[in-house]
Amino acid sequence: MSHNPSVDGRLTGRRIGILVEGDFLEEEISYYQRRFAEEGAEVVLLTRLWGQPSLRFTGHDRGAPLTVSGDLEALDYAELSRYAALVVPSGQVADRLRYSEDVDRLAPAVELMRRAFRMPQLVKAFSCHGLMLVTAAPELVRGRQLTCHNNLVGDVRNMGAHYTDLDVAVDRDLVTGRTVGVSHLLARAVIDRLDPPAGAVS
């Protein structure tokens, strides 16, 4: 399905990256693609390509296929500066992307997050279990206000973050959602961070 960006949306000319791996939730990814494109953003699906030009993943609910050609390992600071936001979705995406074949080195997706968190102009959004991606780099969220799936509350507290009992929490450049069921609220929060409504306080 084509998700051509609107030419006159609030995010026209902006680029949003969505991380993907196997066992992704089809409706969530499809919703982000459609919703951000409606606002004019170019949406790029990103994953660890393991040296391949593209990889094909299978969704969790219906086994729907999704081909991804965006290489997250290619996102150095210069490339990251071309993005307005990165979204780490629900499901098993974060758990799969935090895998490292060398236990003494962080996974490339975790290193990507370390670069991203050094760029306050870049919005970082995590849905549900997405925060699993940064458990190996707790300093990224230490002291930050966030929400997450109930299963991760102990993890985020152990990382030094401040859990808030909200469906969506916004702490400057960090947007978090409790469950996949509030993906629409997460997307709205990302859009509002990138283009604040009139009268909003940053």
Side-chain angles (χ1 to χ4, degrees):
M1 180 183 296
S2 175
H3 298 281
N4 295 320
S6 167
V7 297
D8 58 357
R10 293 170 63 187
L11 304 184
T12 297
R14 315 293 283 277
R15 176 180 291 174
I16 295 178
I18 302 173
L19 274 58
V20 179
E21 239 288 353
D23 232 13
F24 65 93
L25 299 179
E26 295 99 318
E27 289 190 11
E28 179 187 20
I29 301 301
S30 178
Y31 177 77
Y32 293 148
Q33 289 179 295
R34 182 178 70 254
R35 183 70 187 91
F36 293 136
E38 285 175 351
E39 294 294 347
E42 174 192 0
V43 179
V44 180
L45 301 181
L46 300 162
T47 194
R48 185 179 185 184
L49 288 176
W50 297 89
Q52 303 300 311
S54 66
L55 289 176
R56 186 179 175 95
F57 297 113
T58 301
H60 176 79
D61 294 324
R62 300 187 304 277
L66 185 65
T67 300
V68 180
S69 56
D71 184 5
L72 65 80
E73 292 186 85
L75 296 184
D76 56 16
Y77 287 106
E79 281 298 312
L80 264 181
S81 69
R82 301 175 60 198
Y83 284 77
L86 291 179
V87 179
V88 183
S90 308
Q92 295 301 308
V93 171
D95 193 34
R96 291 175 182 268
L97 284 175
R98 67 179 178 169
Y99 169 79
S100 177
E101 63 275 29
D102 181 348
V103 297
D104 294 318
R105 299 186 64 180
L106 294 176
V110 181
E111 291 288 8
L112 170 64
M113 286 296 124
R114 292 180 74 178
R115 293 191 293 277
F117 271 87
R118 295 187 183 109
M119 303 172 68
Q121 75 278 15
L122 175 65
V123 172
K124 281 73 68 175
F126 297 83
S127 175
C128 193
H129 284 79
L131 282 165
M132 287 194 295
L133 186 57
V134 295
T135 54
E139 70 280 1
L140 300 182
V141 295
R142 186 174 295 128
R144 305 294 294 271
Q145 299 281 338
L146 54 80
T147 190
C148 62
H149 192 281
N150 286 8
N151 288 357
L152 267 69
V153 173
D155 297 272
V156 301
R157 286 175 173 162
N158 286 338
M159 289 192 286
H162 300 300
Y163 171 75
T164 56
D165 188 16
L166 299 170
D167 283 338
V168 173
V170 179
D171 182 342
R172 304 188 309 277
D173 56 329
L174 175 62
V175 179
T176 50
R178 190 197 306 271
T179 68
V180 67
V182 297
S183 297
H184 61 297
L185 301 178
L186 181 82
R188 182 189 304 165
V190 170
I191 293 165
D192 285 347
R193 288 306 300 164
L194 296 177
D195 181 39
V201 178
S202 297

